[in-house]
Amino acid sequence: MARILVAEGTEFLFCFPAHGLIDACAALGIRPIVTRTERTLVNMADGYTRVHNGKRNGVCAVQAGPGAENAFAGVAQAASDGIPILVLPGGARRDRRGVPYAFSAAEAYRPIAKWTDEINLSERIPVLMRRAFHALRNGRRGPVVLEVPNDVGGANVDDAAVAAYQPARTYLSMADPAGVAEAVALIGAARSPVIVAGQGVLFAEATSALVALAELLEAPVMTTMNGKSAFPEDHPLALGAAGASGTEAAARFLESADLIVGVGTSFTVTPFTHPMPATTPLLQITADERDVNKDYPVRHALIGDVGLVLEQLRAAISGGAPRRANDARARIASTKAAWLERWRARLGSSEEPLSPYRVIAELGRTLDRANAIVTHDSGNPRDQLLPFFEAIAPRGYLGWGKSTQLGYGYGLSLGAKLAAPDRIVANVMGDAAFGMVGMDVETAARERIGVLTILLNNSVMGGYDRSMPIAAEKYGTHRLTGDYTALAKALGAHAERVTSPAAIATAIERAAKITRDGRPAVLEFVTRADPEVPRYFTPTY
């Protein structure tokens, strides 16, 4: 199995002992990364895969029983976002199969994984590994789980069969040419189309093609939360991102659109995706036919690789682009300026405790956004960061969260840093999220993974007093305590506690520089609770 992983270009094995694959990989030069919790190692594989746009896949190995059980949450999150990672859990010996209470990963993961199986015979290893990598690189993206029973892992395999192994390829397809012509007609008849770009644009590495189409049509572009950074947000046609929160420009232009062109988005309805207007016709470009007519009625769809289909559309439209009033850029600029002005008091606040929006604004001004990767965590940090941090380069922002596990962003950032060691990687999280995964700061320090953590500490679980008002008032159940700076220092990170607005930018600059030497940094910003976020629809939760 290790030899096949080498052939597939595997650099790291994200793992937690005990699993025989760890030593086998180490012997062949695949670096094992051992975390403090199984969920974090899955999160790392996810971040690594995203930054490589699936051209390389994160690979995980966890022990039979408790390891496979503990990893489930991370795999469920990767599945909800459609991230192709390979999970290789150990399994009970084959003679214990079906005996209570032997945990079967192949069975338990089946509802969430793209494909699961068990290596029931050692001679099937090359065949099953080829199937696994083919599934990772073709069709709908998602995690693949291949269980390795403990008695199979140490068995012999024919050397010739392994030597003959050929790495899996990716096969791309274009859309039906007749369907492209129909799509061009729909676009040509629209007076105010809006493009909604999803994560599929990033995996297809099709940002340039999307920009070219948007400019050809003079069509505004909004991104989903998962698709944020698929379109440069400093472009005059950029509306920004929209999820549970979002920019006002995205909301207003969606409301006035007479055609919405979904590019690389599933149009999935969740509490963390901005709803599409009920009566606006949808044109959808997706690689997975199951996305079409799933949650919304779709007027027309083009099934194929996003990059190839965008080129088909541009070729079909070029020279015959519809004539429209050329004021989209001016309307976007004025809408954005007025919206930012309404939030300026928070974004520029000099009050103490700090405004989380001031921290976010300083982060955007301080980082070299063309060479940085930023991700959010769940809750208020996500909803505060998503609208206001402008991503200008593909994968300059890792948006996630059709599921919303607290602490997921930390492992995501560690994997991203391993995939892109020359880029500054920053994760923005709250104190509740840090409580879930904070011990893995030691993983970052031990493995010399220099990530920057922006910890917004307001000592409460933001918004939870609304769902449990009596418990919050009577027992303070939404309140948290802790000295996170001291903890991070004890775990080997550079750590600072920041309370003054004037110190925000210099602390970020200093910490970012330290991370370049492979040392993680944690900046604990003492902030006030600010549940106000830019939201332009009624959430369903």
Side-chain angles (χ1 to χ4, degrees), residues 84-170:
I85 60 174
L86 178 60
V87 185
L88 300 168
R93 298 194 323 267
R94 286 170 293 178
D95 62 357
R96 302 300 296 168
R97 175 86 174 175
V99 178
Y101 294 91
F103 182 80
S104 169
E107 292 180 2
Y109 280 80
R110 188 162 289 121
I112 60 168
K114 176 178 179 179
W115 176 64
T116 72
D117 208 338
E118 175 194 81
I119 303 178
N120 59 334
L121 298 169
S122 59
E123 54 264 36
R124 294 189 69 209
I125 286 174
V127 172
L128 290 171
M129 291 288 280
R130 184 178 67 245
R131 287 181 63 192
F133 275 99
H134 176 83
L136 291 171
R137 293 177 183 159
N138 291 280
R140 183 175 184 83
R141 297 174 184 87
V144 167
V145 179
L146 191 56
E147 186 175 6
V148 189
N150 288 340
D151 59 326
V152 172
N156 292 322
V157 178
D158 179 33
D159 278 345
V162 178
Y165 181 89
Q166 294 294 317
R169 294 178 56 187
T170 300

Side-chain angles (χ1 to χ4, degrees), residues 265-420:
T265 177
S266 63
F267 281 137
T268 299
V269 173
T270 77
F272 307 101
T273 53
H274 191 99
M276 296 297 106
T279 59
T280 307
L282 304 180
L283 167 61
Q284 187 173 16
I285 301 171
T286 176
D288 187 352
E289 77 284 351
R290 290 174 296 177
D291 291 337
V292 181
N293 289 316
K294 181 178 67 175
D295 284 328
Y296 296 99
V298 172
R299 178 70 58 85
H300 184 53
L302 298 175
I303 309 298
D305 174 74
V306 169
L308 295 179
V309 176
L310 286 175
E311 292 295 348
Q312 283 182 281
L313 274 177
R314 188 167 58 146
I317 293 171
S318 187
R323 296 181 177 275
R324 297 191 181 96
N326 215 3
D327 64 345
R329 298 178 186 228
R331 289 189 293 121
I332 292 169
S334 63
T335 303
K336 180 179 177 180
W339 172 68
L340 287 174
E341 185 59 36
R342 288 192 289 275
W343 285 86
R344 195 164 305 282
R346 283 181 165 88
L347 294 166
S349 172
S350 297
E351 297 178 359
E352 297 180 20
L354 301 171
S355 164
Y357 289 102
R358 173 68 185 270
V359 178
I360 289 167
E362 295 289 359
L363 181 69
R365 283 191 287 265
T366 304
L367 292 184
D368 175 8
R369 290 174 295 147
N371 296 295
I373 300 172
V374 174
T375 191
H376 58 246
D377 215 283
S378 286
N380 283 346
R382 171 198 60 228
D383 299 339
Q384 292 161 346
L385 183 67
L386 185 78
F388 292 108
F389 183 87
E390 282 198 341
I392 63 173
R395 294 296 185 190
Y397 191 98
L398 302 183
W400 60 271
K402 286 191 175 70
S403 178
T404 57
Q405 298 163 17
L406 281 168
Y408 196 90
Y410 190 69
L412 203 69
S413 67
L414 296 181
K417 182 65 175 179
L418 288 173

